[in-house]
Amino acid sequence: MAMSYITEKHILDRELKKGSAELLILSLIEDQPRHGYDIGNLIEQRSGGLLRFNVASLYPLLYRLEKRGWIQGRWVEKPGQRRRRYYRLTPEGKKVLAAQRISWREFVEAINRIIGMEHA
Amino acid sequence: MAMSYITEKHILDRELKKGSAELLILSLIEDQPRHGYDIGNLIEQRSGGLLRFNVASLYPLLYRLEKRGWIQGRWVEKPGQRRRRYYRLTPEGKKVLAAQRISWREFVEAINRIIGMEHA
DNA sequence: AGTAATATATGACATAGCCATATATTACTG
DNA sequence: CAGTAATATATGGCTATGTCATATATTACT
């Protein structure tokens, strides 16, 4: 999960990734609880490697979301596995996710309008 | 151009805005040189008020873009007007803008894939 | 036994956005 | 003509947060 920003393109990627992080995490645990490492890998896989989370960003972000009451974590210990902390959406988190999805859509449309990509 | 973030929705907006700022500015001066204040107002107007730039963010960002050689500013003084610094895209900036438009599109598609908004 | 992968954790540093404020000029309004 | 608003650029200080580097612990593989 190491980052590597070499070109100008990557500078943009790095910046853009910041704000969408919450939305990604909330979406991924919408249907089932997941642990941090799983979330990080899913984001990388499903984005075709375009989006990657540094673990040093991912875990603190999970703590913040839990502190805000949007997600709730619990430790799960199974034989033959290292202990994992599974996070699930709280009722408050569900509301926030719904609001953020709308916000994301409006945001993308606003940007596209300004940069001339209505058809994107 | 003052900011006001009250709801959770706005927290997301604030974060999201960060990475797209460069793309917005480069796009707006693509066809004609513009000064900072004009750019700030255009972003607010064309986004229907959704995107707003604090001047304390806008001007330093313009300096950074100029320092990187993507934009070039020059002072213009006209009678009956306060002096303005007009920025234009450099050849290097044009290349960066083209790359960032592609990057933006890929980014949006990757996010949508993960959060379940393919149809958005 | 050694290495890689899995999984979580955190201190230190750097980036960069925002608040508040400042300055200067022009336009409007009572 | 005095006061206020709008235009236009500028910046010090605070804060949030992402990244680098590193640490720890467990399991799987060879």
Side-chain angles (χ1 to χ4, degrees), chain A:
Chain A
M1 296 241 298
M3 288 294 187
S4 59
Y5 296 110
I6 299 148
T7 65
E8 292 88 2
K9 176 170 180 281
H10 288 117
I11 294 171
L12 181 71
D13 290 344
R14 177 176 46 193
E15 298 307 310
L16 283 172
K17 221 172 21 187
K18 291 179 184 174
S20 50
E22 293 177 9
L23 177 56
L24 291 173
I25 291 173
L26 296 179
S27 293
L28 284 173
I29 61 169
E30 186 179 17
D31 297 324
Q32 57 182 295
R34 294 186 190 277
H35 57 94
Y37 197 78
D38 188 23
I39 292 171
N41 285 335
L42 276 174
I43 289 174
E44 183 163 356
Q45 288 164 23
R46 294 196 184 172
S47 72
L50 192 70
L51 309 172
R52 267 177 289 179
F53 265 96
N54 195 307
V55 290
S57 305
L58 181 57
Y59 290 107
L61 181 49
L62 287 170
Y63 309 150
R64 286 203 302 276
L65 295 179
E66 185 168 22
K67 199 175 175 187
R68 286 184 205 152
W70 299 354
I71 67 178
Q72 171 71 49
R74 71 181 185 96
W75 286 108
V76 175
E77 308 215 29
K78 284 184 189 168
Q81 274 185 350
R82 196 196 183 292
R83 68 172 189 163
R84 293 162 166 170
R85 190 160 175 85
Y86 280 82
Y87 293 94
R88 66 171 180 79
L89 262 191
T90 63
E92 173 71 11
K94 282 185 209 293
K95 289 179 198 166
V96 172
L97 173 57
Q100 288 203 354
R101 279 211 173 101
I102 293 170
S103 187
W104 163 250
R105 187 173 198 154
E106 288 175 351
F107 172 77
V108 170
E109 283 167 3
I111 299 281
N112 284 345
R113 222 160 30 234
I114 295 169
I115 68 170
M117 286 184 79
E118 277 100 335
H119 43 286

Side-chain angles (χ1 to χ4, degrees), chain B residues 63-114:
Chain B
Y63 307 150
R64 285 204 300 277
L65 295 179
E66 184 167 24
K67 199 174 176 188
R68 286 184 204 150
W70 299 354
I71 68 178
Q72 172 71 50
R74 72 180 185 96
W75 285 109
V76 176
E77 309 214 28
K78 284 184 189 169
Q81 275 185 349
R82 195 194 183 292
R83 66 173 192 163
R84 296 162 164 171
R85 192 161 174 83
Y86 280 82
Y87 292 95
R88 64 170 183 81
L89 261 190
T90 64
E92 174 71 11
K94 283 184 209 294
K95 290 179 197 167
V96 172
L97 173 56
Q100 288 203 355
R101 279 210 173 102
I102 293 170
S103 188
W104 163 251
R105 188 173 197 153
E106 288 174 352
F107 172 77
V108 170
E109 285 167 2
I111 300 281
N112 284 344
R113 220 158 34 234
I114 295 170

Side-chain angles (χ1 to χ4, degrees), chain B residues 12-34:
Chain B
L12 180 72
D13 290 342
R14 176 176 48 194
E15 299 306 310
L16 283 170
K17 220 173 22 189
K18 291 179 182 174
S20 51
E22 292 176 10
L23 177 55
L24 290 173
I25 291 173
L26 296 179
S27 293
L28 285 172
I29 61 169
E30 186 180 16
D31 297 323
Q32 58 181 296
R34 295 185 189 277

